[in-house]
Amino acid sequence: MVKPSGQTAPDTKTRILDAADEIFVRRGIDGARMQEIADQAGVNKALLHYHFRSKADLARAVWHRIASSFVPGILHMMASDLSLDEKIDQFVDAYHRRLTRHPYLLPYVISEAARHPDLVDNLYSPERRQAARHMIDKLREQIDAVAKARRIAPVSAEQFFITLAGSCLYPFVARPMISEALGLSTTKFEGFMERRRRELPAFLKRALQP
Amino acid sequence: MVKPSGQTAPDTKTRILDAADEIFVRRGIDGARMQEIADQAGVNKALLHYHFRSKADLARAVWHRIASSFVPGILHMMASDLSLDEKIDQFVDAYHRRLTRHPYLLPYVISEAARHPDLVDNLYSPERRQAARHMIDKLREQIDAVAKARRIAPVSAEQFFITLAGSCLYPFVARPMISEALGLSTTKFEGFMERRRRELPAFLKRALQP
DNA sequence: GTCTATACTCTGATAGAC
DNA sequence: GTCTATCAGAGTATAGAC
């Protein structure tokens, strides 16, 4: 559910999109049933095909909406004039808050991206790609500056960004396996993640500026 | 494809299992077709139901085999008497080598684990759970020892293990999104990952022993 | 725009011969 | 154990009334 929760009652098309979002994210595209989406939206199944020609089209529409709500905000923050430390704090904090509320979202994005490569093409428009490049350039400047001040070798900006993303996002992706491996109940896992939100930024900063 | 490639020609049941492995991993359980698995195995579709009662049972068998090939080796290595640095090196190296060869494997595990929670129950037997606990304890000892020598606060062993896993595994999980975000062609992504395999261990060690 | 009814396809599963 | 043939159910999509 990555719907912009506006004030006015949503029209049918939006209600279908909201419903499809929820069902697709929960069951996966292949596992989702048009009937279940119709039920969730409180409309007839045929109406889904009226507004969105096919299941694949509906899936594309949902995917596009998720991408639009996910990517630009983070790109903007990471390209801003915030300090490196603040960026790390905000990145970790933003994703922890967000993904805690939507635990199915990331596994959904991962699995559909792996299985339906065409969906990924819509993730980055040329402008967004340009913004991503700019973000990395900005990050590189900051990392180099810090490294120079500390007289240590700088790490690659791309590598650092993926390390940041990976260490932050992986628990949301692999939650069931982690719970099993570490023997964490639901409550304990939540405690683990809360602690992680507080401690991970310090760990990453330390690697960057020893 | 996590088949133990033995010498003798595999019997039919194993051939089916190998085929199912490949198809399930590529298409997901819901997206996989019994017919395609049968074709891949070079046998009749009915034979699948003779050896494995249903599609769900076949999926469980495949899942179990993947888990058995994935988990114990890493647990054993991480619980060994290798130094902390060597463990980081080996963890990163082992997964990079392995997942480069089987790029679909991890997204498959992630998505099926999220969608079919019962599958995860089979991942860790009581003995394996015990081994995992022992591994974490051993890791904690080593981290504490290093921290004490350097007069810094130790990080949580659980947190470190997940950070190690996340920063190492995430690129294999989110490859399509990363390629899009950083504008990497297939060749460039491979270069990126090769560089990562070399540089990530140093980054992690630095955070642990600044 | 929204519904009812239905066509048609796909696919998991079984029966039964060899 | 392996195959051929077939069924039953599920699920996407469409036709057509309102």
Side-chain angles (χ1 to χ4, degrees):
Chain A
M1 274 187 303
V2 192
K3 51 190 173 191
S5 51
Q7 270 68 358
T8 57
D11 61 356
T12 304
K13 196 165 178 177
T14 307
R15 286 220 320 284
I16 293 175
L17 224 36
D18 290 343
D21 191 317
E22 185 162 337
I23 303 300
F24 278 141
V25 167
R26 186 158 57 213
R27 307 236 184 261
I29 295 175
D30 291 332
R33 298 294 151 237
M34 295 296 266
Q35 184 60 58
E36 195 178 1
I37 295 173
D39 293 346
Q40 173 78 22
V43 299
N44 191 278
K45 199 173 51 146
L47 210 53
L48 270 52
H49 288 90
Y50 172 79
H51 284 288
F52 306 87
R53 211 176 50 82
S54 66
K55 185 185 179 182
D57 279 4
L58 179 53
R60 261 187 291 275
V62 167
W63 178 270
H64 184 263
R65 211 174 52 151
I66 290 178
S68 296
S69 86
F70 231 66
V71 174
I74 294 290
L75 281 185
H76 183 261
M77 187 276 288
M78 292 298 285
S80 73
D81 284 326
L82 290 173
S83 73
L84 204 49
D85 282 4
E86 286 169 327
K87 285 181 182 178
I88 294 172
D89 289 337
Q90 292 219 8
F91 187 98
V92 173
D93 195 63
Y95 273 119
H96 268 251
R97 210 178 357 205
R98 185 142 194 195
L99 294 175
T100 299
R101 248 197 294 268
H102 303 294
Y104 289 94
L105 194 59
L106 211 50
Y108 167 76
V109 170
I110 297 294
S111 41
E112 301 306 343
R115 228 155 272 151
H116 308 279
D118 55 301
L119 287 178
V120 182
D121 300 342
N122 293 353
L123 263 178
Y124 287 82
S125 58
E127 300 79 38
R128 217 174 266 171
R129 179 80 56 84
Q130 167 64 25
R133 255 196 303 271
H134 176 246
M135 183 271 283
I136 291 291
D137 288 341
K138 183 86 184 201
L139 207 55
R140 184 177 302 111
E141 278 178 35
Q142 294 183 296
I143 292 174
D144 288 355
V146 169
K148 196 170 179 186
R150 303 290 183 122
R151 295 165 200 265
I152 57 171
V155 301
S156 150
E158 287 91 345
Q159 297 288 347
F160 173 73
F161 181 66
I162 300 303
T163 302
L164 169 62
S167 55
C168 179
L169 302 182
Y170 186 72
F172 293 101
V173 167
R175 168 169 183 167
M177 268 82 66
I178 293 174
S179 292
E180 269 290 295
L182 301 183
L184 302 176
S185 63
T186 302
T187 315
K188 279 187 176 173
F189 184 84
E190 284 164 7
F192 175 82
M193 290 305 286
E194 171 53 25
R195 182 172 179 187
R196 190 166 182 78
R197 190 184 61 72
R198 289 196 316 269
E199 295 179 3
L200 180 59
F203 181 89
L204 294 170
K205 291 172 197 170
R206 216 157 79 177
L208 223 42
Q209 318 162 355
Chain B
M1 278 182 301
V2 192
K3 51 192 172 190
S5 50
Q7 270 67 357
T8 57
D11 61 356
T12 304
K13 196 165 178 177
T14 307
R15 287 222 318 284
I16 292 175
L17 224 37
D18 290 343
D21 191 318
E22 185 162 339
I23 303 299
F24 279 141
V25 168
R26 186 158 56 212
R27 306 234 186 261
I29 295 175
D30 291 332
R33 298 293 150 236
M34 295 296 266
Q35 185 59 58
E36 193 178 3
I37 295 173
D39 293 347
Q40 172 77 22
V43 300
N44 191 278
K45 195 172 55 138
L47 210 53
L48 271 51
H49 288 91
Y50 172 79
H51 285 287
F52 306 86
R53 213 176 51 81
S54 66
K55 185 185 180 182
D57 279 3
L58 180 54
R60 261 187 291 276
V62 167
W63 178 269
H64 184 263
R65 211 174 53 152
I66 290 178
S68 296
S69 86
F70 232 64
V71 174
I74 293 291
L75 282 186
H76 183 262
M77 188 276 287
M78 291 298 285
S80 74
D81 284 325
L82 289 174
S83 73
L84 205 49
D85 282 4
E86 286 170 326
K87 286 181 182 178
I88 293 172
D89 288 337
Q90 292 219 8
F91 187 98
V92 173
D93 196 62
Y95 274 119
H96 268 251
R97 210 177 359 205
R98 184 141 194 198
L99 295 175
T100 299
R101 248 197 295 268
H102 303 296
Y104 289 95
L105 194 59
L106 210 49
Y108 167 75
V109 171
I110 296 294
S111 40
E112 301 305 345
R115 227 156 275 151
H116 308 279
D118 56 300
L119 286 177
V120 181
D121 301 341
N122 293 353
L123 263 176
Y124 286 81
S125 59
E127 301 77 40
R128 215 175 268 170
R129 179 79 57 82
Q130 167 64 26
R133 256 195 302 271
H134 176 246
M135 183 272 282
I136 291 289
D137 289 341
K138 183 86 184 197
L139 208 53
R140 185 177 303 114
E141 277 178 35
Q142 294 184 296
I143 292 174
D144 287 355
V146 168
K148 195 171 178 183
R150 304 288 181 124
R151 295 165 199 265
I152 56 170
V155 302
S156 150
E158 287 92 344
Q159 297 289 348
F160 173 73
F161 181 66
I162 299 305
T163 302
L164 169 61
S167 55
C168 180
L169 302 182
Y170 187 72
F172 293 101
V173 167
R175 169 171 182 166
M177 268 81 65
I178 293 174
S179 291
E180 269 290 294
L182 301 183
L184 302 175
S185 63
T186 302
T187 314
K188 279 187 176 172
F189 184 83
E190 283 163 7
F192 175 82
M193 290 304 288
E194 172 53 25
R195 183 172 177 187
R196 189 166 183 79
R197 190 184 61 72
R198 290 195 315 270
E199 296 180 2
L200 179 60
F203 181 88
L204 294 170
K205 291 172 198 170
R206 217 158 77 178
L208 223 42
Q209 318 161 354

